[in-house]
Amino acid sequence: LADLRLRLAREPGVHLVVVFLDPDPAAAVRAIQPIVAQARQPIYAATADGSPATHEAAAAAGVAGVWGLDRMR
């Protein structure tokens, strides 16, 4: 997560970014916040944690959506 902004700048062929919030959703949200405004790609979050607080924190950070791991294929 620490170098996510740099990796996005180096890989222009990326169409979307999925950040896994587990095991530390708070750290993931802190990493997402500064890059959302700069990223040209939509950023989604995925988590096994179904708590509304985790989903709300990710949404407040600016992700395009939050997916449950149980619903991803």
Side-chain angles (χ1 to χ4, degrees), residues 3-20:
D3 67 339
L4 184 56
R5 189 180 322 175
L6 178 61
R7 290 176 61 196
L8 288 175
R10 289 184 176 168
E11 299 181 31
V14 174
H15 297 287
L16 68 93
V17 176
V18 178
V19 175
F20 291 94

Side-chain angles (χ1 to χ4, degrees), residues 9-60:
R10 289 184 176 168
E11 299 181 31
V14 174
H15 297 287
L16 68 93
V17 176
V18 178
V19 175
F20 291 94
L21 299 177
D22 305 321
D24 188 351
V29 166
R30 285 191 306 273
I32 291 168
Q33 285 174 327
I35 62 161
V36 166
Q38 297 176 1
R40 292 174 290 217
Q41 308 86 350
I43 299 173
Y44 290 88
T47 182
D49 183 358
S51 77
T54 298
H55 288 242
E56 289 171 10

